[in-house]
Amino acid sequence: MKVGEINPYIRQAKESTLLKGMNINQRIIFDYELLYLREGNFTLIYNGDTFYCKKGDVILIEPGVQHEFIVNTTDISQPHIHFDLSYRANSEKIPICFKDITAMTDKEKDMIHENMLPSYPTAPLLVCKNKTRFLTYFNKIVSKRPTSPLVRKGLLLELLGLIFYDNFWGLLRKEQFPTIAHQVKDYIDRGNGLDMSLDDLSKFFSYSKFHLEKKFKECFNVSIITYKNQLRMQKAKELLMTNSVSKTAKILGYNSIHSFSRTYKNYYQQSPTSSIKEGKKEK
């Protein structure tokens, strides 16, 4: 995982209490869960290993890892945050999971986020050298006081910075954080966002469209939309070698064949159909 790929989405953040006997049965989750054991203790069975968690522990549950909570002798207070490390197009539609993988449908299994973090030796317990600072960010996120999603995201990034420094230092040393312009270019180059508007990209990267456009032009001397459309047309020509016009338009996210054909003709000075014919002649 590259540090520049971190674009977190908070699914749920809240105070939570589990009463004695209120166990969470064996399950896996679709996302990450970061929890702080404020009061009490419990036994955590994580990936087949047993951990006795006590007051003050910070715990990170990773996506796709089988686990269960057993409340031991008293009620526990365990505020927690469910989040994605990298925002996905369907992030806002994915629920919190309480099922074991054996009870999941194929559709639910597809919701399991790829674990982007390298393994760490103390998993699932996190090292937390500056607990005061950690709790400052953590408590603000789970607080019921109204804050904007952007502020909460910023707080989570600060929190992740502390976690990474104490637990994933190798990751921070190896990867240099790319500029926002390079993040946008890399996202488009990988085939994502080809059908996204500048407003869509602004929402995805949590920057104003004016800031994105300014930084992108400064770095690459071309606007985001122009660059995106150029890449889109290059991919269109490649796709037309093995696909019909209608299928190519659909793959590239055009609303209609007419819109795609008009854009293609303006760019290449010939219709998509003509390109297909030329490609057949060359073969």
Side-chain angles (χ1 to χ4, degrees):
M1 184 201 76
K2 295 181 180 179
V3 175
E5 294 174 351
I6 297 177
N7 179 30
Y9 168 75
I10 298 176
R11 178 160 292 104
Q12 182 187 82
K14 67 176 187 177
E15 301 282 351
S16 179
T17 300
L18 284 179
L19 304 178
K20 181 182 176 182
M22 288 179 60
N23 302 328
I24 295 179
N25 295 327
Q26 185 169 280
R27 67 165 182 171
I28 66 166
I29 51 177
F30 302 137
D31 51 8
Y32 293 89
E33 181 181 9
L34 178 67
L35 64 89
Y36 174 65
L37 190 47
R38 183 173 290 157
E39 295 290 344
N41 59 80
F42 60 76
T43 300
L44 173 62
I45 314 274
Y46 187 82
N47 202 25
D49 294 323
T50 301
F51 298 85
Y52 298 99
C53 303
K54 63 186 184 303
K55 179 179 177 179
D57 281 345
V58 178
I59 299 154
L60 179 67
I61 307 294
E62 297 170 302
V65 178
Q66 208 168 46
H67 63 279
E68 62 180 298
F69 297 89
I70 302 170
V71 181
N72 295 326
T73 58
T74 185
D75 301 347
I76 65 169
S77 171
Q78 47 107 41
H80 58 272
I81 304 167
H82 277 273
F83 65 96
D84 291 338
L85 261 179
S86 179
Y87 182 86
R88 296 176 288 177
N90 63 344
S91 281
E92 295 172 38
K93 299 178 181 178
I94 293 178
I96 306 299
C97 180
F98 290 92
K99 291 184 179 181
D100 188 32
I101 195 163
T102 56
M104 286 185 183
T105 64
D106 289 338
K107 184 177 180 180
E108 287 172 326
K109 291 176 184 177
D110 288 339
M111 293 182 185
I112 302 171
H113 203 299
E114 177 187 0
N115 186 6
M116 300 172 68
L117 293 176
S119 59
Y120 57 104
T122 60
L125 299 174
L126 288 174
V127 174
C128 190
K129 295 178 181 177
N130 191 333
K131 187 68 69 64
T132 300
R133 193 175 172 199
F134 173 91
L135 288 175
T136 297
Y137 298 131
F138 184 88
N139 290 334
K140 284 182 179 180
I141 295 172
V142 300
S143 170
K144 292 183 179 179
R145 288 175 295 176
T147 53
S148 72
L150 194 57
V151 170
R152 282 155 59 93
K153 179 177 178 176
L155 290 169
L156 181 55
L157 283 169
E158 294 280 4
L159 197 59
L160 290 173
L162 293 178
I163 290 171
F164 273 44
Y165 190 86
D166 290 341
N167 298 273
F168 306 102
W169 177 241
L171 180 65
L172 294 177
R173 284 177 53 193
K174 292 175 184 176
E175 300 290 348
Q176 184 176 5
F177 199 102
T179 66
I180 186 60
H182 283 88
Q183 291 181 57
V184 173
K185 182 179 181 296
D186 182 61
Y187 185 71
I188 295 172
D189 287 346
R190 285 186 279 120
N192 301 313
L194 288 176
D195 59 345
M196 293 172 71
S197 67
L198 189 55
D199 285 329
D200 293 331
L201 290 168
S202 171
K203 181 181 178 182
F204 181 83
F205 285 98
S206 299
Y207 283 91
S208 77
K209 60 184 179 182
F210 306 105
H211 181 78
L212 285 184
E213 189 75 309
K214 178 184 177 183
K215 293 300 181 183
F216 198 89
K217 280 185 176 179
E218 286 176 356
C219 198
F220 302 110
N221 201 32
V222 66
S223 73
I224 293 174
I225 297 304
T226 298
Y227 180 79
K228 179 177 69 69
N229 288 339
Q230 288 173 350
L231 188 63
R232 207 177 188 189
M233 286 297 98
Q234 291 168 13
K235 289 187 176 294
K237 196 155 193 175
E238 294 173 5
L239 288 167
L240 286 170
M241 296 177 67
T242 54
N243 295 278
S244 66
V245 176
S246 60
K247 187 173 182 180
T248 298
K250 184 177 181 180
I251 291 172
L252 293 174
Y254 282 90
N255 295 325
S256 69
I257 296 177
H258 302 294
S259 175
F260 167 67
S261 298
R262 183 172 60 252
T263 304
Y264 190 93
K265 190 171 183 178
N266 287 337
Y267 189 82
Y268 285 112
Q269 304 304 310
Q270 66 175 181
S271 68
T273 305
S274 298
S275 287
I276 291 176
K277 290 179 180 178
E278 281 189 3
K280 288 181 179 178
K281 286 181 182 179
E282 290 176 3
K283 289 181 180 180

